[in-house]
Every structure is written in structure tokens, then in C-alpha cells.
Amino acid sequence: MQTLSSYVQGRWHTATTGARPLHDPTTEEALAECSTDGIDFARVLEHARDVGGPALRRLTFLERGELLKKLSKAIHEHREELIELSIKNAGTTRGDAKFDLDGATGTLASYAFFAKEAGARGFLSDGGGVQLGRTARFWGQHVFVPKTGVAVHINAFNFPAWNMAEKMACALLAGVPVVEKPGTPTAFVAWRVAQIVVDSGILPEGAFQFLCGGVGDLLDHMGAQDVLAFTGSSGTGAKLRGNANLVRHNVHVNIEADSLNAAILGPDVDFDSETYGLFLANVELDMIQKTGQKCTAVRRIFVPHDKVERVSADLVASLARITVGNPADKGTRMGPLASQSQFEGVRAGIEALQKSARTLTGGSEADQEKGWFVTPTLLLAEDADTDVFHELEVFGPVATILPYSGTADEAVRLTNRGGGGLVASVYANDRSWTKEVVLGLGPWHGRVWTANDRVAEQTLPPGMVLPAALHGGPGRAGGGGELGGLRGLEAYLQRTAIQGFQGWIDGDFGPVKEQA
Ligand code: NAP
């Protein structure tokens, strides 16, 4: 069986003990194994800090942007091979594999573009300067300078390429070296991307290291200039945040965790409107794309009482058209869940929801001889206020219709019961109703997505994370923030207020002046 190695301290390390298997979720066949046994994690961090960091910080944002552009191209050249690997190890359809891979290369390319805004300097000015003294002679300017540590990225299994690339793009552009660790069950794609990155020779030595398997005692060696960015479940996030060494050194920790994302149908939406068509299409897409294993997928569908019957019938009809099966087959719209533990978790989750909801469609294993398949499952809550719908994330093709009164107040109250989300989508043509809902959801969501008849044909789906818009959310969603253009670099930069003689401070650290 193939053993997937790690890239540390400038060489590939293949462990001989502690192997964990990776499977094909369609056939349950073991494909490969990996382990990080034998790696000296303290030395991994030192290598990044001593070799990779200085090399990156010698470059300007523009030069680092060039590296990202080349990386994007190098990975894209292997697109077909990576799609095949994703189908095999992650059980994705071709379309789902592209979503992950094109998201990865697209985000790297976007950050290469954002680098132009940052310019040919090694630090960023944060807004304009400010007079601090009696006259403007004593001046202040906030700047962002790169941290001198290392960015440790612990990623979730569901986006092996994108999750690594979106974190790398921000850290490397900021001038901070990375240590990447993918979720083990689907690490094949990430491992191959790591090979491509290393073989390309694009990045300076020490700027990129890759761990295929566990992180051992790595967190215990992190320090005040380092950053931990984690994507995964809130349970693991809480465990990592509580690491005594991270707490002691106030290591910056960014957590992207789970979220009970909501789709809210407004009371004014007509069934023959474009907005309603979009609502149906987006709910269906979120339920089946990546077999529902998407942190931004809709889990709660809020529908006014008088529309529940029609919405239920329409969604059941559209889900009935979804072919579940081998993701390598052309006609398949939805593949298996990515691992056996995912499968067991989703089955248990459906059972828990079913105690308080009627099953409109699905709710069972799919009819396949082998593999970790379930059917798209749509439920209808008996009472929208029941705790389980606002507390349990079932990370699969599962969503629940929650009937509500149609008032803005109730839409906000029920949605915010999720305790903090990545995204909520709002479908309505009534502007003042929408504004009230948006402002009510804002404090509890990283992103509020809206659609009406005037924009319906131009929207990108709410589940799609875009490099130019913030990704992250408060509370249960982890309290973190990634992406959002140059905002995504902030975790890797230190904001410093520089004070002194205006002539120097403004000239050396102020915003780049437009050429006359
Ligand atoms: P997970 O079980 O929490 O694992 C996430 C990552 O943490 C994996 O790389 C895992 O490694 C690692 N890990 C687990 N225990 C660890 C420990 N004690 N020390 C260090 N690392 C540890 O989550 P998952 O099952 O991969 O992903 C699904 C969850 O992620 C869902 O809840 C989903 O909502 C969430 N998610 C959130 C976002 C977001 O952006 N907010 C995006 C995608 C997914 P191993 O795989 O080696 O165990």
C-alpha cells in the first residue's frame, strides 16, 4: 500500500510506525496510509522561523503575489490528475472535485491580484495618519508588519485543496511561512498538491512544510509570533484553543468551526418569481454538493407557515431527481460521505433529528452494495423552537424545514438560535423587511447573503466562499475570520502604531501616494 509522506525541514519524511489508513469511500477499499511518527516538531517550527520566514520577508507583497500566481498555475496544470484523486479518496463527483480544486487555484490567483493593492513594500499602512501633538509635526500612523513566526494550519477533511490553499495564500502573502496539515481521511489530494508545490521549487526553502498525519506535540512548541489557524469541528477547535502552551504565550488562534447555516424565505416571495426559483436551486445545491459536507451548507430552512406545503413538495420533487452513486459515473449527482466515521455520524444525526421532525424524503442508507452512502434527507420540524435543530450539525446531505410566522423578528430570533453562523441567506423582495432581518442577523453571522428578483440571475450561491468576502463567524462558528481580500492577512501581521516626526513617519510608513 502507498505511504504518504510529510515534507519537513527540506526533505520528505516517511514514517514506519503509527500508520493511519485512507479509504475509497465508494468501495471502502484502503488506498494508502500516513503517519508523522519520528518527526521532531520543534525543529519543524524552527526551520520555518529561521529559514522560511526571513526569505519571505525579504520580498515585497508584489513579489510574494508573483509566487502565489505561479503556485496557482503549477497546481492547475495537474487539475485532471487531482480530480481523479479526489473522486477516489474523497468520494466527490467531478463537479465537487472541481469546486475544491478550482477554489484552491482561484484563491491563490485572487491573492496574487490583491498583492497589487498592497504594493511593492514589505508592510501595509493601516488607513491614513493622524495628528497626535499640538501641531501636525508629532504624527501617528498605524501599520501592519509581518509576524516573525510560523503559521500552523490544521485543515478539515472536506476541502483538502481549497482549505490548504486559502490559508496558505494569506499567510505567504503576509510573509509568514506555513506548516500545513490536512484532515487525514482525504489527505491524498492535499499530499499530491504538496508534492506539486515542493517539486515546483517556487517557494523559498522553509516557506512550506507539510504534515501528513497527526501534529504530535507541535502546539506545545509554538510561541508568541506564531499563528494557529484551524478549520474543523467546534469540539476540536475548543480543545486546541485550550492548549496550555498556546494560552500561556497568547498565540493567535483563528478557528473556523461548524455552523447551522440558515436559508430564510421571506413572506412576500411569490412561487412564480425568480427569487423563489433561486431559493429552491440553492437549497438543493447546498444539500447535495460535496454530499452536504460543506461548512457553509444550509441546515435550517425557515419557511413561512402558509408556504410550507408548497416548499416541501417542491424540494422533495427536486431531491427525487438526484442520482446517488459511484461518483466516477457521469450520471451521478451525489457521491458517498467521505469516511466511515462521517457515515456513522450522519446516520446518528438523522436519527436524532427525526425524534422531533417528520421525514419528507430520504433518511436512509442509499441502495448500494458497498460504500458510505446516504440519501438526501429533508425533514419537517414539528416545532421550529426545538433545541436539536439549533444545536446539532449533521455534516451530510441533511436539512430541516422550520416553519415560522414570516415576521422579521421571528426570522432573526430563530436563526440566531444557531449560536453564531458562517452564513445566512435571505430571499425576499420587501426591502425594509430584508434590512431589518440583515441587521438582526449581523451580530451573529460572518456573512449575510440576500437575493431578490432584481439580482437573482446574477448571484453566486451562498455556500460559495469567495476570496474577496469574509469567511468565518462568531460563537459556534469559531469566532474566526479568513479571506475578505487583504483583511485575510491580518492574522499574520502585527498592527503597530508608529509615532514621531511627521516628515519621517508619513514619508516612510504612510499610505502610498498616487503618482501625479
Ligand atoms: P475535525 O475532526 O475537528 O478535524 C479537523 C482537523 O483537526 C483535522 O485535520 C484533524 O486531524 C485535526 N485534529 C483533530 N483532533 C486534533 C487534535 N487533538 N490535535 C490537533 N489536530 C487535531 O473536523 P473534520 O471532521 O475534519 O471536519 C468537519 C467539521 O469541520 C465540520 O464540523 C465542519 O462544519 C467544519 N468545517 C468548518 C469550516 C469553516 O471554514 N468554518 C470549513 C470546513 C469544515 P485528523 O484528520 O488527522 O484527525
Side-chain angles (χ1 to χ4, degrees):
M1 190 180 330
Q2 189 167 357
T3 303
L4 307 184
S5 31
S6 298
Y7 184 73
V8 287
Q9 296 172 261
R11 60 178 192 279
W12 288 97
H13 169 96
T14 308
T16 50
T17 56
R20 285 170 65 187
L22 282 72
H23 293 91
D24 178 339
T26 305
T27 61
E28 301 178 33
E29 169 203 356
L31 293 175
E33 54 187 27
C34 67
S35 160
T36 53
D37 279 11
I39 290 178
D40 183 335
F41 293 99
R43 304 274 304 265
V44 170
L45 296 177
E46 280 164 22
H47 185 66
R49 290 185 200 119
D50 297 347
V51 181
L56 283 172
R57 290 196 300 277
R58 276 193 286 276
L59 306 175
T60 65
F61 282 100
L62 268 183
E63 289 167 330
R64 295 194 289 256
E66 277 303 304
L67 301 182
L68 299 184
K69 196 167 153 189
K70 287 183 190 161
L71 282 181
S72 169
K73 206 162 162 269
I75 298 167
H76 186 75
E77 278 167 13
H78 296 266
R79 187 171 183 255
E80 277 308 312
E81 175 200 348
L82 290 166
I83 289 173
E84 292 305 319
L85 263 188
S86 176
I87 293 170
K88 195 104 183 117
N89 178 217
T92 55
T93 61
R94 234 187 116 73
D96 289 349
K98 287 193 226 165
F99 189 53
D100 181 34
L101 293 162
D102 296 345
T105 50
T107 304
L108 286 165
S110 295
Y111 271 87
F113 178 75
F114 300 147
K116 295 183 185 164
E117 193 188 324
R121 304 204 289 194
F123 63 89
L124 289 176
S125 306
D126 177 20
V130 60
Q131 177 179 328
L132 296 175
R134 188 165 47 85
T135 70
R137 189 175 287 233
F138 187 55
W139 192 250
Q141 172 68 53
H142 289 86
V143 296
F144 285 111
V145 292
K147 290 183 178 170
T148 57
V150 46
V152 174
H153 294 158
I154 299 183
N155 299 318
F157 76 84
N158 56 339
F159 282 94
W162 172 80
N163 209 190
M164 181 158 96
E166 53 103 13
K167 284 188 168 61
M168 261 169 72
C170 293
L172 293 173
L173 184 58
V176 178
V178 298
V179 175
E180 297 293 334
K181 180 240 175 304
T184 299
T186 61
F188 225 135
V189 169
W191 169 81
R192 184 67 189 111
V193 170
Q195 270 194 334
I196 295 164
V197 170
V198 172
D199 291 350
S200 73
I202 292 166
L203 293 175
E205 178 47 45
F208 176 86
Q209 296 180 85
F210 177 79
L211 300 173
C212 209
V215 295
D217 64 355
L218 182 135
L219 304 190
D220 300 334
H221 299 285
M222 291 182 71
Q225 285 288 311
D226 301 331
V227 176
L228 172 66
F230 164 82
T231 298
S233 60
S234 25
T236 310
K239 201 187 296 173
L240 301 190
R241 198 196 283 287
N243 173 285
N245 178 59
L246 301 184
V247 173
R248 187 162 49 246
H249 294 289
N250 286 316
V251 175
H252 182 93
V253 178
N254 192 79
I255 295 185
E256 297 291 342
D258 51 46
S259 172
L260 291 156
N261 310 296
I264 305 167
L265 185 65
D268 68 317
V269 176
D270 293 331
F271 290 125
D272 58 2
S273 65
E274 280 193 54
T275 304
Y276 182 65
L278 184 68
F279 162 82
L280 291 178
N282 282 342
V283 169
E284 180 199 293
L285 179 71
D286 262 3
M287 287 184 68
I288 64 156
Q289 190 171 43
K290 303 218 68 175
T291 316
Q293 300 162 114
K294 210 171 58 177
C295 56
T296 51
V298 67
R299 309 288 174 201
R300 299 175 297 159
I301 311 164
F302 291 103
V303 178
H305 290 292
D306 62 345
K307 296 189 186 318
V308 166
E309 201 177 322
R310 170 72 185 267
V311 169
S312 302
D314 287 345
L315 284 175
V316 167
S318 74
L319 292 171
R321 291 192 288 269
I322 303 303
T323 348
V324 180
N326 187 334
D329 295 345
K330 264 212 167 104
T332 296
R333 292 278 312 281
M334 193 178 93
L337 291 158
S339 67
Q340 184 168 3
S341 80
Q342 262 297 109
F343 175 74
E344 285 162 6
V346 168
R347 290 301 311 272
I350 292 173
E351 274 176 36
L353 294 176
Q354 281 170 329
K355 290 192 179 124
S356 307
R358 187 150 60 84
T359 305
L360 297 176
T361 185
S364 59
E365 282 177 44
D367 189 18
Q368 303 285 325
E369 265 176 35
K370 281 248 171 213
W372 297 308
F373 292 91
V374 292
T375 47
T377 299
L378 182 68
L379 304 160
L380 172 61
E382 282 158 19
D383 174 0
D385 247 319
T386 308
D387 292 346
V388 71
F389 305 119
H390 310 289
E391 291 174 359
L392 180 69
E393 182 202 44
V394 182
F395 205 56
V398 183
T400 307
I401 294 177
L402 302 171
Y404 81 108
S405 63
T407 65
D409 266 359
E410 204 188 3
V412 168
R413 183 185 69 76
L414 285 170
T415 305
N416 289 348
R417 282 206 60 195
L422 296 171
V423 59
S425 44
V426 182
Y427 299 80
N429 283 308
D430 180 332
R431 187 169 173 175
S432 64
W433 186 93
T434 302
K435 186 174 176 188
E436 203 179 328
V437 171
V438 165
L439 289 175
L441 299 179
W444 286 97
H445 292 83
R447 203 153 50 83
V448 181
W449 179 105
T450 69
N452 62 22
D453 287 345
R454 298 173 70 176
V455 75
E457 55 151 10
Q458 288 192 24
T459 56
L460 293 167
M464 183 182 267
V465 174
L466 299 168
L470 175 71
H471 174 56
R476 175 188 186 119
E482 292 181 342
L483 303 175
L486 289 179
R487 289 176 196 86
L489 273 58
E490 285 181 18
Y492 307 101
L493 301 168
Q494 175 62 41
R495 181 188 265 125
T496 308
I498 304 179
Q499 305 173 333
F501 173 49
Q502 189 206 18
W504 289 4
I505 301 295
D506 188 44
D508 289 345
F509 304 107
V512 178
K513 313 273 181 294
E514 295 288 330
Q515 299 288 337

